[in-house]
Amino acid sequence: MATVTFENVTKKYGNVVAVSNLNLEIADKEFLVFVGPSGCGKTTSLRMLAGLEEITEGKVYIGDRVVNDVAPKDRDIAMVFQSYALYPHMSVYDNMAFSLKLRKMKKDEIDKRVKKAAATLSIDQLLPRKPKQLSGGQRQRVALGRAIVREPKVFLLDEPLSNLDAKLRVQTRAEITKLHQQLGTTFIYVTHDQTEAMTMGTRIAVMKDGLLHQVDTPQTLYDKPNNLFVAGFMGSPSMNFFDVSIKGTADNIVAAGEGFQLPIPAERTVGMKPYIGKDVTMGIRPEDLHDAAFVPPNIHVGKFEAKVDVTELMGNEVFLYLITGKYSYLARVDPRTQARVGNTVQIVANLDSVHFFDKATEQAIR
């Protein structure tokens, strides 16, 4: 098994910086997820680790060994791509055994590894079939099996679920998480899907424009985003943002927006004091906005009126698309709500979970 370390790693394509000064240590047996929008540098980072892209500056370590100039085949990694990349003329068994045959491994050892991997992935019955006889989910399992048989130090997975339908994606997501637990190997996973990142990773590295913005556990990223980008990117539906002015005195601070004034809880006022008289960005997640008739107990509340623009019944909750003043935003409320399109409703914000961000730096105000 092995740790993975990016030390001041930069990747340039001419004058374009794809990854800038990446510093990140991934622990042995960890499941780390790189997440971010298209073009953020997450796949480039993975490909540099795999040896498929040259590193412009910095060093990449697998364990204690610098692998900048080590050939991909000698890095003891296995990669699963977005495309399954299976040989169409070979059976599932031969696809999984191929890399081991190239290593001139003994036939009985190959057979043992292939059958063990097939059993782990529940594809024993598919071994004689050709890829064209398999569904997308089955092909993805075969691609995973081909990586497993190599028994690498590190698994690299580049958006492996993007070609699957929604239901199968959820199922395979759980299977990969379970697989990580069974194998006890370092997994590094790339996705643009926040839900995949939140449900699978022991830690998540959030990237944008080639920069690492924050790396932490899923819950910490969700509850304590470092900046406006992380706050807006993590979570589905995404956080609502409001332009507000901070008013009052050191002991009585309010966030004033168009159509509302929300009192800041006492435990939050220390970080807000320097911003009295200034404009900031306020963030509230949809689940922290409630229909006034169904407010959870023991929270600091702030009330304001909103006009209902659209409603979406989700079964166990209702999405209310609301308008207050110049703001359009989303609330996830109790399914018993009586809110209807065109109505004016009372909305309650959970002030214990409100976020504030500096207008100039976009950094979180603690």
Side-chain angles (χ1 to χ4, degrees), residues 37-103:
S38 296
C40 70
K42 57 188 185 295
T43 294
T44 302
S45 300
L46 197 75
R47 289 176 63 85
M48 285 191 288
L49 173 57
L52 303 177
E53 295 281 356
E54 289 187 6
I55 298 165
T56 308
E57 298 171 18
K59 296 177 182 178
V60 171
Y61 295 81
I62 297 178
D64 297 326
R65 180 172 69 150
V66 178
V67 296
N68 290 40
D69 300 317
V70 176
K73 66 182 179 64
D74 297 324
R75 296 192 181 197
D76 204 3
I77 54 98
M79 193 159 181
V80 179
F81 295 93
Q82 180 177 344
S83 60
Y84 315 121
L86 302 176
Y87 295 108
H89 63 287
M90 291 184 182
S91 67
V92 168
Y93 183 99
D94 288 334
N95 265 283
M96 291 173 65
F98 187 70
S99 63
L100 304 182
K101 290 177 179 177
L102 289 180
R103 294 184 187 179

Side-chain angles (χ1 to χ4, degrees), residues 61-336:
Y61 295 81
I62 297 178
D64 297 326
R65 180 172 69 150
V66 178
V67 296
N68 290 40
D69 300 317
V70 176
K73 66 182 179 64
D74 297 324
R75 296 192 181 197
D76 204 3
I77 54 98
M79 193 159 181
V80 179
F81 295 93
Q82 180 177 344
S83 60
Y84 315 121
L86 302 176
Y87 295 108
H89 63 287
M90 291 184 182
S91 67
V92 168
Y93 183 99
D94 288 334
N95 265 283
M96 291 173 65
F98 187 70
S99 63
L100 304 182
K101 290 177 179 177
L102 289 180
R103 294 184 187 179
K104 303 194 184 307
M105 191 174 287
K106 291 182 179 179
K107 191 173 181 180
D108 59 343
E109 178 63 19
I110 292 174
D111 189 65
K112 176 184 172 183
R113 289 197 187 189
V114 170
K115 288 181 177 175
K116 180 181 177 183
T120 300
L121 295 163
S122 301
I123 55 173
D124 319 57
Q125 73 282 7
L126 304 181
L127 291 175
R129 296 190 192 178
K130 297 286 180 65
K132 67 180 180 181
Q133 297 172 296
L134 307 178
S135 68
Q138 289 170 334
R139 291 180 193 180
Q140 190 55 268
R141 283 198 198 124
V142 174
L144 286 167
R146 185 178 53 191
I148 290 170
V149 297
R150 296 179 60 183
E151 298 182 358
K153 289 181 178 177
V154 183
F155 280 89
L156 309 180
L157 300 99
D158 185 12
E159 305 215 33
L161 308 185
S162 57
N163 289 335
L164 305 181
D165 63 56
K167 183 178 179 181
L168 196 54
R169 201 156 54 234
V170 172
Q171 179 185 331
T172 310
R173 193 169 76 205
E175 289 174 353
I176 292 175
T177 303
K178 184 178 177 182
L179 184 65
H180 171 252
Q181 294 166 353
Q182 290 175 339
L183 297 177
T185 309
T186 307
F187 274 45
I188 302 175
Y189 190 103
V190 162
T191 182
H192 63 275
D193 188 316
Q194 311 97 308
T195 304
E196 280 183 25
M198 289 289 292
T199 55
M200 299 175 78
T202 50
R203 282 195 306 157
I204 302 171
V206 185
M207 296 189 72
K208 180 191 177 190
D209 299 333
L211 294 171
L212 179 63
H213 280 248
Q214 189 173 353
V215 56
D216 217 316
T217 63
Q219 198 62 54
T220 301
L221 277 176
Y222 193 78
D223 293 339
K224 297 179 179 179
N226 279 349
N227 57 43
L228 198 66
F229 169 71
V230 175
F233 191 80
M234 298 306 296
S236 181
S238 61
M239 187 180 288
N240 302 298
F241 294 110
F242 304 80
D243 295 322
V244 299
S245 297
I246 303 303
K247 297 182 177 181
T249 64
D251 299 320
N252 184 24
I253 299 176
V254 298
E258 189 176 304
F260 62 83
Q261 285 203 21
L262 301 179
I264 308 302
E267 56 268 30
R268 295 292 308 276
T269 57
V270 174
M272 300 304 297
K273 287 177 184 177
Y275 289 88
I276 293 173
K278 297 181 180 179
D279 292 338
V280 301
T281 300
M282 180 177 74
I284 308 177
R285 294 203 181 276
E287 62 268 29
D288 293 319
L289 293 170
H290 306 279
D291 182 322
F294 305 98
V295 180
N298 304 320
I299 63 171
H300 290 99
V301 300
K303 295 183 179 181
F304 52 94
E305 288 189 342
K307 182 180 178 181
V308 182
D309 193 30
V310 177
T311 66
E312 291 180 346
L313 175 62
M314 308 301 289
N316 65 331
E317 61 186 353
V318 173
F319 286 5
L320 297 182
Y321 292 84
L322 303 169
I323 298 172
T324 297
K326 64 181 179 180
Y327 312 108
S328 296
Y329 54 99
L330 172 66
R332 299 169 66 173
V333 303
D334 191 286
R336 295 170 292 175

